[in-house]
Amino acid sequence: MRHPELKQRHPTLGEAPGTLAAAAEGAVASSISLVEYTADDYLETRFATVDEGLAHRAQLPNLWLNVYGLTDPAVLQAIGQRFGLHPLVLEDIANIRQRPKVDDYGSYLFIATRVYRYQQEGQRLVHDQVYLVIGSGFVLTFQTQPLGVFTSLRERLQAGRGLVRQLGADYLGYSLLDAIIDDYFGVLDQFNARVEDLDRQVLSGHDRFILARIQRQKQDAMRLRRALVPLREVLNTLTRGDYAFFQRDTMVYLRDAFDHTLHLIESLEAAREAIGGMLDLYMSAQSNRLNVQMRVLTVITIIFMPLTLIAGIYGMNFDYMPELHWHFGYYYAIGLMGAIALGLGIVFWRRRWL
């Protein structure tokens, strides 16, 4: 799925905390859907307007409200009033460049995460924000645009497969985080494949843009790390915190998700080390190629030095010089220069300098 990377929005200087920023350039129009479920029932409703959503009365105890597009501050304010969200939470959601974090507001948790995609035939790594609000009996998710991260989870929820319908909204919150982590596995597989492909090309020396590609992979690794390390801390906070709306069974799964983030970070660190080694190997290979070229040029220079000396001596403009008027002098000089060049070439060849 291709989509433009959204430009960053910052609060205007001088505005009060909690003030929602203007719409983001490139964001899609807001779309709201509500999923209600129990172990036996499932109901999904899509709202054309925010007023239609506010007028709706939930029929089942577990709710998942998903919002695509963060362009309209009025939509965020209406949802915030409906679920009692703090203005700072709404401000963070409206700002589409948030570091992964978790904030405890007593009756609910606010979690900011990132997901990544490769664009332009896999040449560019871009990210999108995903926000979660997990409370007692409800989960809210906010995305800049449909990313497909939660598609399989939505299908499982609709079909009643797995435990997501049996364990309530807290397990749904875990399942959403787990879907984000699983998405990182896919992105990291693509990243590792690019690193392996790059590693095979480092020593070939045929790609003159290899250094730029190494640098791009290094930057991508840094971007992924800046998202995964805070995500690890988010999961660590959730597993160590005492939250009333998280059941004991769900905490076990959160610890498993924490282990998955550790695995992701370890795999990323291994790739970063490989990229660093690639850079050192590339610089060593370039230095070695330069040394070989300089050695060849040095050998050629040494071979021609005695020839230049002989030509210079016999080219001096004097009347009385040995062999100057000799009939075979020219052939003698040429033969002498050829013999010297051949002898030096054999010597250098035996020493493996050529």
Side-chain angles (χ1 to χ4, degrees), residues 110-125:
F110 170 66
I111 302 175
T113 64
R114 290 179 181 176
V115 292
Y116 283 85
R117 288 289 185 276
Y118 276 105
Q119 285 188 342
Q120 297 178 354
E121 290 75 32
Q123 297 300 316
R124 186 184 179 201
L125 184 68

Side-chain angles (χ1 to χ4, degrees), residues 183-331:
D183 188 72
Y184 271 105
F185 276 103
V187 173
L188 201 58
D189 285 342
Q190 296 181 58
F191 176 78
N192 288 332
R194 291 164 60 87
V195 171
E196 293 174 1
D197 180 64
L198 194 58
D199 187 43
R200 289 191 293 268
Q201 299 180 26
V202 167
L203 291 178
S204 65
H206 300 308
D207 189 352
R208 60 176 178 172
F209 301 109
I210 193 73
L211 186 59
R213 295 178 59 194
I214 293 175
Q215 184 63 22
R216 188 183 302 117
Q217 290 299 105
K218 185 178 180 181
Q219 293 173 352
D220 289 348
M222 293 175 61
R223 295 178 63 191
L224 288 171
R225 190 178 189 277
R226 285 198 297 265
L228 283 174
V229 171
L231 182 60
R232 178 191 62 188
E233 298 308 315
V234 167
L235 269 299
N236 188 38
T237 301
L238 294 179
T239 56
R240 295 177 180 271
D242 185 14
Y243 306 110
F245 40 81
F246 274 126
Q247 302 178 21
R248 180 175 300 179
D249 292 339
T250 304
M251 298 299 295
V252 175
Y253 292 101
L254 285 174
R255 286 192 290 269
D256 182 66
F258 175 72
D259 292 338
H260 289 172
T261 59
L262 294 181
H263 177 70
L264 284 170
I265 292 174
E266 290 174 357
S267 178
L268 180 60
E269 290 298 329
R272 290 184 66 203
E273 292 179 3
I275 294 172
M278 260 187 279
L279 185 59
D280 294 338
L281 181 60
Y282 173 78
M283 298 306 295
S284 298
Q286 289 293 99
S287 178
N288 182 65
R289 278 193 287 268
L290 180 60
N291 290 338
V292 171
Q293 294 169 359
M294 291 302 298
R295 185 174 63 187
V296 172
L297 294 176
T298 302
V299 168
I300 294 174
T301 302
I302 292 175
I303 290 175
F304 276 89
M305 281 179 62
L307 311 186
T308 305
L309 176 62
I310 295 173
I313 291 176
Y314 280 95
M316 291 188 296
N317 194 18
F318 290 105
D319 290 333
Y320 301 100
M321 289 181 61
E323 296 89 21
L324 185 61
H325 300 288
W326 185 30
H327 180 72
F328 298 102
Y330 170 78
Y331 302 104

Side-chain angles (χ1 to χ4, degrees), residues 37-42 62 152-176 178 247-254 256:
Y37 67 93
T38 62
D40 301 319
D41 297 321
Y42 175 90
N62 297 314
S152 61
L153 173 61
R154 189 182 297 272
E155 292 174 352
R156 294 203 313 270
L157 188 64
Q158 185 174 9
R161 300 195 305 268
L163 300 175
V164 66
R165 291 257 293 266
Q166 282 73 29
L167 295 183
D170 61 323
Y171 185 83
L172 173 63
Y174 149 75
S175 299
L176 293 168
D178 187 61
Q247 302 178 21
R248 180 175 300 179
D249 292 339
T250 304
M251 298 299 295
V252 175
Y253 292 101
L254 285 174
D256 182 66

Side-chain angles (χ1 to χ4, degrees), residues 4-71:
E5 188 174 14
L6 304 183
K7 294 186 177 180
Q8 185 172 0
R9 289 182 292 172
H10 299 283
T12 305
L13 294 178
E15 289 187 347
T19 302
L20 298 187
E25 181 179 344
V28 299
S30 298
S31 173
I32 306 173
S33 65
L34 176 66
V35 172
E36 308 169 53
Y37 67 93
T38 62
D40 301 319
D41 297 321
Y42 175 90
L43 178 63
E44 183 172 357
T45 309
R46 297 185 181 275
F47 304 110
T49 64
V50 65
D51 293 335
E52 182 181 343
L54 293 176
H56 179 81
R57 291 294 177 262
Q59 304 177 29
L60 301 177
N62 297 314
L63 306 178
W64 174 19
L65 181 69
N66 183 69
V67 180
Y68 291 136
L70 309 177
T71 59

